[in-house]
Amino acid sequence: MSYEQEEEDHYGPGYEVGSYTKDYNDGPYDGENDLNVNSNPEGKPRILLMGLRRSGKSSIQKVVFHKMSPNETLFLESTNKIVKDEISNSSFVQFQIWDFPGQVDFFDSNFDCEMIFGGCGALVFVIDAQDDYIDALMKLNLTVTRAYKVNPNIRFEVFIHKVDGLSDDHKIEAQRDIHQRANDELMEEGFDSVNLSFYLTSIYDHSSYKKNILQTFIIDSNEALDFKLVREPSDIESNETTFKPEMSHQIFGENESIFGYQNLTVSLYYTAGKLNTYLGMEYKAQVDPKQFEGAIADDVMGAITAKLPPGYMTNLDDFIASLNKEQGFKPPGELLSTYSINKGSAAERHFELYSCTIEETGFRSYHERLQTFLLWYVDAASFIDVDDDRWRFYLIFEKYPCDGGHRYAICGYATVYLYFAYPNKTRPRISQFLVLPPFQRLGLGSELLNVIYRTFLKDSNILDITVEDPSEEFSRLRDFVDAQNCKKLPSFSIEKLHQGFNAGMVEEAQRDLKINKKQARRIYEILRFQATNLANAEEYRAYRLDVKRRLNIPYQKEASDYKKLQKALNPEELRSTLSTSTREQRIESLDKQYQTLENEYRHILERLAAAK
């Protein structure tokens, strides 16, 4: 692997970056004086630079931080004492690099492992790839095991150095061999939890160093974001109330990353009921454009605030003060249903489900805050045009005890649009559906979907209920709920399921449950699979053939279209127009499709069994 590819790796927390250093302090090795614990009185982050003698440690430091010409490093003398470098060119970029001589002895009584490794953020070990690196690997193993025992949080970076003199094949082989030997030795000694990162490096292309350093300023935006639904001030300091986004590409791009910061935390907090919003960010270091050719940190706050409605807070004290307004909050709209879990126990919880329209007093501004969650949990999410009066809103709240009374916390919501269905019917379409992470796996999704269904079941003007671009997760929820409901219909009895899919099932599912024909067929297949004795070869085969006949319909249409084209086109035109599949390819494709479906159906049936 080339060092250009290795540039995608990066150092972890504790590796701070700068440019210019103070003068070196070369001199005879004196371990006792070098290990003065007071040499870092301000507690700056520390990076240890280690490796065998003449491995190139000092050359790396001179080229990267002193801008020394690579050719000038040929005249550098070997390091014979610990050299401590202060990197301090701005208020953000301050740290120390300790360059150790190759002959340092960990067993020397003057070597204080606790002091050296205990305050270290990263350890860089340099191996000369042009030399016999067996001794270097032994020293690497000794160094890593000693350091890890003292500080398990230390990051270990291995520079496979001087690769400019190697062929591409030799570089790849050297990295593979060093990587395997180093990790195998650690595993043999029981240090399999230690993580080593490897880099192919050369001072003759030291731009790679800057790129590797810049990698430390790239943050996973999903990890950087902390969400909270705050009920009381203590929730702000509690890790238990924090939850993460499932995605962030709709804010920070498809790579879901933020550039320009180290140890970044972005806090997006909402009061649990009213959804008053706080946005803040903290970081340990920010990239300096002067040192990295004009590289500028991303505008994190600007990217998020562009999606927030006016009124959000950036002062945490103001946000905490706004919690006092939660006591007077009541859910908007009409109460449709209540739902409880863990009844009769100390963990009993109560939920209420409401419906409303945009005309509900105060709901327009409330919805503006609520819909911002979609960007982090629903792919390809977009904000709806609430001025269209055909939108309906359904909300779930937890009703929880507080100060001798009750308060409400939002749990999730759904939107439904009432489409026209020719000639005089209405077809509701579920557009957005979200249960927030702290309330998932409590049965709230099923309850919300059933409440939506019940809203329309007795309305003869409703044709059926559809879903707009359902996610896999919602499809599984819908299958589960529809299967539960269809099992109660006479046309879906076990006896009739074995007789095959029929018009009676379509009619009853649409009339009683507002389920369309396509979904009714899918539920039939799920319930027939449940009713099939898989140990009975004939019964199981009959089920598979029944499903595959449906799956084969597109191929039958393809064959019909092919015959029509044969009459209209000459053979050459036909070949350039169509790419038909062989019988064997169709059979293979059908088998794969069937197996995928069966696996999906098994998951639904497992959930049905657990719900009994």
Side-chain angles (χ1 to χ4, degrees):
M1 185 178 293
S2 68
Y3 56 77
E4 287 86 359
Q5 290 170 296
E6 286 297 311
E7 288 166 13
E8 298 304 316
D9 291 333
H10 57 84
Y11 301 120
Y15 192 96
E16 303 299 324
V17 185
S19 58
Y20 302 104
T21 64
K22 297 180 179 179
D23 291 338
Y24 276 70
N25 182 21
D26 294 330
Y29 175 57
D30 182 352
E32 185 173 0
N33 292 332
D34 289 339
L35 302 183
N36 180 4
V37 73
N38 294 321
S39 60
N40 188 13
E42 298 179 10
K44 296 177 182 177
R46 182 192 309 158
I47 300 169
L48 307 184
L49 191 58
M50 294 184 167
L52 293 186
R53 183 175 177 273
R54 307 299 301 178
S55 60
K57 304 185 300 299
S58 298
S59 298
I60 290 173
Q61 201 171 3
K62 285 288 190 179
V63 170
V64 174
F65 295 110
H66 284 289
K67 297 187 177 180
M68 178 181 281
S69 164
N71 292 330
E72 292 182 87
T73 64
L74 297 173
F75 305 103
L76 289 176
E77 295 182 3
S78 294
T79 303
N80 53 18
K81 68 174 295 181
I82 298 175
V83 178
K84 303 164 187 174
D85 259 340
E86 289 279 343
I87 310 298
S88 180
N89 70 299
S90 75
S91 59
F92 291 115
V93 184
Q94 298 185 27
F95 65 100
Q96 290 188 334
I97 293 181
W98 290 17
D99 184 2
F100 283 73
Q103 69 269 30
V104 67
D105 183 2
F106 295 137
F107 296 97
D108 191 304
S109 59
N110 290 321
F111 193 92
D112 187 343
C113 288
E114 292 288 338
M115 189 277 290
I116 295 293
F117 297 129
C120 172
L123 188 156
V124 178
F125 194 94
V126 181
I127 296 177
D128 184 348
Q130 297 186 27
D131 198 3
D132 183 356
Y133 44 74
I134 299 301
D135 289 342
L137 285 170
M138 293 175 60
K139 188 61 173 286
L140 171 65
N141 178 268
L142 178 61
T143 303
V144 169
T145 54
R146 276 297 181 105
Y148 187 79
K149 288 178 181 177
V150 174
N151 181 4
N153 296 319
I154 198 169
R155 291 300 302 259
F156 298 102
E157 319 290 341
V158 181
F159 282 12
I160 303 171
H161 194 45
K162 303 183 183 179
V163 296
D164 49 278
L166 306 179
S167 67
D168 288 342
D169 288 343
H170 197 165
K171 291 176 188 176
I172 295 171
E173 177 58 27
Q175 180 179 14
R176 185 203 62 77
D177 189 39
I178 291 172
H179 183 283
Q180 182 172 334
R181 286 172 181 259
N183 283 303
D184 286 351
E185 290 177 8
L186 288 172
M187 291 184 67
E188 288 176 4
E189 296 186 30
F191 289 87
D192 49 311
S193 60
V194 175
N195 180 53
L196 303 181
S197 298
F198 296 85
Y199 304 84
L200 295 172
T201 59
S202 166
I203 59 173
Y204 291 95
D205 182 15
H206 60 278
S207 63
S208 63
Y209 293 103
K210 284 193 175 182
K211 291 176 183 177
N212 281 333
I213 291 171
L214 282 175
Q215 288 292 325
T216 68
F217 287 94
I218 298 176
I219 305 293
D220 182 331
S221 50
N222 292 327
E223 288 299 316
L225 279 153
D226 283 348
F227 290 158
K228 288 181 184 287
L229 287 169
V230 181
R231 302 185 181 190
E232 54 190 38
S234 61
D235 289 343
I236 292 174
E237 300 300 327
S238 173
N239 291 330
E240 293 181 0
T241 60
T242 300
F243 57 101
K244 296 287 186 177
E246 289 184 9
M247 61 190 71
S248 55
H249 63 87
Q250 295 172 115
I251 303 295
F252 296 112
E254 62 180 80
N255 291 329
E256 298 190 322
S257 62
I258 298 171
F259 171 74
Y261 307 90
Q262 290 181 337
N263 293 1
L264 173 68
T265 299
V266 180
S267 302
L268 187 54
Y269 301 163
Y270 297 81
T271 57
K274 292 177 68 68
L275 296 181
N276 290 324
T277 310
Y278 164 78
L279 176 64
M281 63 182 285
E282 296 178 345
Y283 50 86
K284 186 176 182 180
Q286 183 175 352
V287 70
D288 185 349
K290 295 180 181 179
Q291 306 307 321
F292 295 100
E293 300 176 359
I296 299 175
D298 290 342
D299 181 7
V300 176
M301 296 289 279
I304 298 177
T305 56
K307 303 296 183 180
L308 297 179
Y312 63 87
M313 291 166 266
T314 56
N315 183 291
L316 190 57
D317 290 335
D318 291 343
F319 175 76
I320 293 173
S322 73
L323 289 172
N324 294 326
K325 301 177 183 179
E326 292 291 288
Q327 185 174 3
F329 173 75
K330 301 297 180 186
E334 175 189 359
L335 176 63
L336 297 180
S337 176
T338 60
Y339 174 73
S340 299
I341 60 173
N342 304 321
K343 292 181 180 180
S345 72
E348 185 172 354
R349 300 173 71 178
H350 303 281
F351 303 90
E352 296 182 352
L353 293 90
Y354 292 77
S355 72
C356 68
T357 67
I358 201 64
E359 300 303 323
E360 190 74 30
T361 302
F363 182 68
R364 181 182 294 268
S365 60
Y366 187 81
H367 175 259
E368 287 179 350
R369 298 190 293 275
L370 178 59
Q371 68 179 347
T372 58
F373 284 110
L374 297 175
L375 299 170
W376 312 103
Y377 296 101
V378 178
D379 201 9
S382 60
F383 294 163
I384 62 175
D385 177 14
V386 294
D387 289 325
D388 190 328
D389 62 5
R390 297 181 72 85
W391 282 107
R392 299 293 181 269
F393 303 87
Y394 299 84
L395 303 96
I396 320 173
F397 290 90
E398 180 175 11
K399 185 178 182 180
Y400 65 95
C402 181
D403 297 334
H406 289 91
R407 292 188 182 183
Y408 291 90
I410 186 69
C411 305
Y413 84 112
T415 61
V416 177
Y417 189 81
L418 305 181
Y419 278 91
F420 170 74
Y422 182 84
N424 58 355
K425 296 284 187 180
T426 298
R427 173 173 278 150
R429 177 178 293 178
I430 299 172
S431 176
Q432 300 161 326
F433 194 101
L434 174 65
V435 176
L436 293 169
F439 304 98
Q440 292 174 3
R441 303 188 182 281
L442 299 177
L444 295 181
S446 301
E447 190 66 20
L448 177 58
L449 186 55
N450 270 318
V451 164
I452 294 173
Y453 283 169
R454 290 197 294 268
T455 302
F456 300 108
L457 289 186
K458 296 180 180 180
D459 188 343
S460 60
N461 191 48
I462 300 298
L463 180 63
D464 52 32
I465 301 171
T466 61
V467 180
E468 180 180 348
D469 298 328
S471 64
E472 290 184 10
E473 292 81 5
F474 182 82
S475 293
R476 287 193 290 269
L477 172 66
R478 182 190 186 192
D479 289 343
F480 167 72
V481 171
D482 289 349
Q484 271 190 323
N485 293 333
C486 283
K487 284 186 72 172
K488 304 170 186 175
L489 300 179
S491 60
F492 284 82
S493 66
I494 293 178
E495 179 184 358
K496 292 189 176 180
L497 287 169
H498 284 299
Q499 294 173 5
F501 189 62
N502 58 64
M505 293 176 175
V506 175
E507 180 182 352
E508 190 172 23
Q510 186 170 38
R511 183 188 67 237
D512 293 355
L513 300 176
K514 306 301 181 184
I515 294 176
N516 61 41
K517 181 178 179 180
K518 181 179 179 181
Q519 179 68 359
R521 168 73 199 204
R522 182 175 172 89
I523 299 305
Y524 152 77
E525 291 178 1
I526 292 171
L527 294 180
R528 180 169 174 180
F529 186 51
Q530 183 183 46
T532 297
N533 181 2
L534 303 184
N536 185 318
E538 284 302 312
E539 193 172 323
Y540 188 20
R541 180 174 181 274
Y543 173 77
R544 295 197 306 272
L545 289 175
D546 185 41
V547 175
K548 287 182 179 181
R549 275 193 290 269
R550 177 181 64 80
L551 296 175
N552 193 48
I553 292 174
Y555 293 108
Q556 292 176 327
K557 185 177 186 303
E558 180 183 291
S560 175
D561 291 342
Y562 182 75
K563 290 179 181 178
K564 294 177 183 177
L565 287 171
Q566 274 184 315
K567 297 177 182 179
L569 303 174
N570 62 46
E572 184 176 345
E573 292 172 329
L574 186 64
R575 281 194 298 273
S576 64
T577 302
L578 284 181
S579 176
T580 57
S581 54
T582 64
R583 182 175 182 275
E584 290 74 17
Q585 288 172 327
R586 291 199 304 272
I587 292 174
E588 181 182 0
S589 178
L590 283 173
D591 283 339
K592 288 181 179 178
Q593 286 179 275
Y594 173 79
Q595 287 300 326
T596 298
L597 273 180
E598 183 175 303
N599 289 334
E600 291 175 4
Y601 294 169
R602 285 182 185 273
H603 288 307
I604 303 303
L605 295 181
E606 288 172 2
R607 186 170 178 182
L608 285 171
K612 289 182 179 179

